[in-house]
Amino acid sequence: MHKPEQKVYYPDPCYRDSALIHDYNELYHEFEKDPDAFWRRIASDLLWFKQWDNVKVWNHPYASWFTGAELNITYNCLERHVNNDRRNKVAIFWAGENGRERIFTYYQLYKDVMRMGNALKSLGVRKGDRVCIYLPGIPELVVSMLACARIGAVHTVVFAGYGAKALNERITGAGAKIVITADASVRRGGSIPLKPIVEEALINAPTVERVIILRTQEPKVGLLDEFELDYEELIAQADRYCEPVPVNSEDPLFILYTSGTTGAPKGIVHAAGGYMVGAYYTTKYVLTLRENDVYWCTADPGWITGHTYGIYGPLLVGGTIFLSEYTPDYPDAGIWWKLIEDYGVTIFYTAPTAIRMFMRMGEEWPDKYDLSSLRLLGSVGEPLNPEAFEWFYKHIGKNKCPILDTWWQTETGMHMVTTMVGLPMKPGFAGKPIPGVIATVVNEEGDPIPPGTTGYLAIKEPWPSMMKTVYQNDERYRQYWSFGKYGYYSSNDLAVMDEDGYIMLLGRSDDIIIVAGHNVGTAEIESALVSHSAVAEAAAIGKPDPLKGNIIKAFVILRNGVEPTQKLIHDLKYHVRIMLGPISVPAELDFVDSLPKTRSGKIMRRVLKAKEMGMDPGDISTLDE
Ligand code: PRX
């Protein structure tokens, strides 16, 4: 088979020689020589109320990090800077549509977080209680998350694009006591009401005692006495000083739901100490976030990327975050480049789906703006295909900015595989495991395979920010660490490693579809479709798409007597949108008479997908007649 020549990009000499960049090999060697000493050195940059007994205790599949230690992540994100040189440094630049702007110094953020922490306490929120945050990407979201962490409560942020059913599942799954939300979110010149979605989601959500609502619109929406509280009033009445509650390193910091292969989403639990160290380490060494950077991570804070690299990581290193509510094409396709010029953004971390969209809109848009402040580009969420890499490198990075294609997951909490700044970059390949991570590509058994052959990306040893468990489903957690005969951590990603140890990701091996960088479970979509009165059975697959990576294609068997009309297609899509939100809506929907199934009744999505793509369906010996 003819293999195209692999291109290699060598970093600009100013990066190779930069004293700020640690040599990959040296750092990896330091880690290999003594992993615990490596993490101890990193963790020692941070402030702990009580030192740990052990860096790590590993009883497969359970790891405890910084055992016995006590900390508060907000003390590290706030006091560590406020009490030193960064008191008046900008923590957050926020740019809203129509030129609205808000700026928070570290000191201002610190004050708001403390008031919100006290407000939550006044409502009876205590250490370990869960608080659901359903807010768009505005500063109040950052304040609410940190306020929870401040008092030892566990936040579970739900992306504000999710529909009522998805929100209800996450609220009830986590047993949230409080929901923090807004009346509406701003998008593309209009507004999307959130309150009605929350109201619907709260039917059958018995654990919720109060809802805090940020009212941004005039006239102000009415509040239900006692049950619904005004965000601003609550903060205004709260005491100023809020003590950071010391939590154990192993206590949960947050739960973040991610799609499961079964219908129910999985509540990924991250523990305070290990997560803090992982987020800090990778933001400092992989993203190389420095004192004078203005750093823009375009991910919504409702996703793990927003948690680790939108908020916690940059605040831990004392960086300046740029946060924006602008979508990339409104008011025009130049807006993001304009923002980069206006704010002097130096590090720009985004997703392949956005890059492909920009490619399509044309380089005349970025060419209108001065992007010379940029020094580093990043990508996450799905494979960065070589064409998109090259476009990004040339038209945004102007052939000088390195590109970090970072592979990781909600479950891993931090970067795992990438090409660290200073190393040669190979488009199409994410890169190598970062120092601190032992990742490899293996066969089903967990044994090594020759370079260039397809296998599974597996992780051999624990790392600090690995998930602690799956909330109330420890069995599901254990499954992650049961890959092959050695019990590796399974990423559920297919991959290939080349002779130099660079890893290329080939997509999921399970029933998750990555649509425009968002993780959606086939089962969730199928169960939403089946809940419609016209539907008997449904199957969903990811169909490759040049822009979004994948689109969702659904196959639906109708109940007897139901007419397969165009209007019904529309209704079914709408039904999914209302239940799960716009990201889960099938782009294509076909009515069929039967679905390929195994004899045991499992839908063979692989067969549907192969047929859809005009490919050989492979082994179909288990297919029912
Ligand atoms: O399939 C991989 C893909 O996204 C999955 C994790 O999704 P999620 O938990 O939503 O986290 C996304 C942000 C960290 C992975 O199993 N993925 C993520 N980054 C990459 C990627 N696939 C290829 N290349 C990447 N850089």
Side-chain angles (χ1 to χ4, degrees), residues 15-16 34 39 64 119 135 159 179 187 261 290 303 306 366 372 417 423 428 455 485 509-510 556 562 580 606:
Y15 286 100
R16 270 202 315 266
D34 188 345
W39 290 118
S64 301
L135 282 172
F159 171 60
V179 175
R187 200 176 151 82
T261 44
R290 302 286 178 249
W303 308 116
S372 61
V417 174
L423 288 184
K485 53 191 185 217
S509 63
D510 59 3
V556 169
V562 179
L580 302 176
R606 174 168 62 84

Side-chain angles (χ1 to χ4, degrees), residues 481-531:
W481 281 98
S482 64
F483 187 83
K485 53 191 185 217
Y486 312 107
Y488 294 155
Y489 170 89
S490 161
S491 70
N492 286 308
D493 275 318
L494 298 169
V496 177
M497 194 185 269
D498 74 0
E499 279 87 3
D500 300 325
Y502 278 57
I503 296 169
M504 174 187 280
L505 279 307
L506 303 171
R508 302 283 301 189
S509 63
D510 59 3
D511 296 329
I512 302 277
I513 311 174
I514 312 259
V515 187
H518 299 142
N519 200 314
V520 236
T522 53
E524 235 178 327
I525 303 162
E526 290 161 4
S527 87
L529 283 167
V530 172
S531 73

Side-chain angles (χ1 to χ4, degrees), residues 258 304-305 379-384 405-411 430 491 493 505 507-508 514 517 519:
T258 184
I304 190 68
T305 306
S379 166
V380 59
E382 57 181 316
L384 180 62
D405 174 1
T406 58
W407 178 89
W408 58 295
Q409 307 178 304
T410 305
E411 294 88 335
S491 70
D493 275 318
L505 279 307
R508 302 283 301 189
I514 312 259
N519 200 314

Side-chain angles (χ1 to χ4, degrees), residues 85-106:
D85 294 345
R86 302 193 185 105
R87 180 186 171 94
N88 301 318
K89 178 174 174 170
V90 174
I92 302 172
F93 282 118
W94 180 84
E97 287 190 2
N98 300 319
R100 281 139 64 233
E101 181 188 70
R102 293 167 71 191
I103 299 175
F104 288 73
T105 63
Y106 270 92

Side-chain angles (χ1 to χ4, degrees), residues 285-306:
Y285 288 83
V286 180
L287 287 174
T288 68
L289 184 56
R290 302 286 178 249
E291 212 58 72
N292 281 331
D293 281 314
V294 175
Y295 160 69
W296 185 7
C297 167
T298 66
D300 188 277
W303 308 116
I304 190 68
T305 306

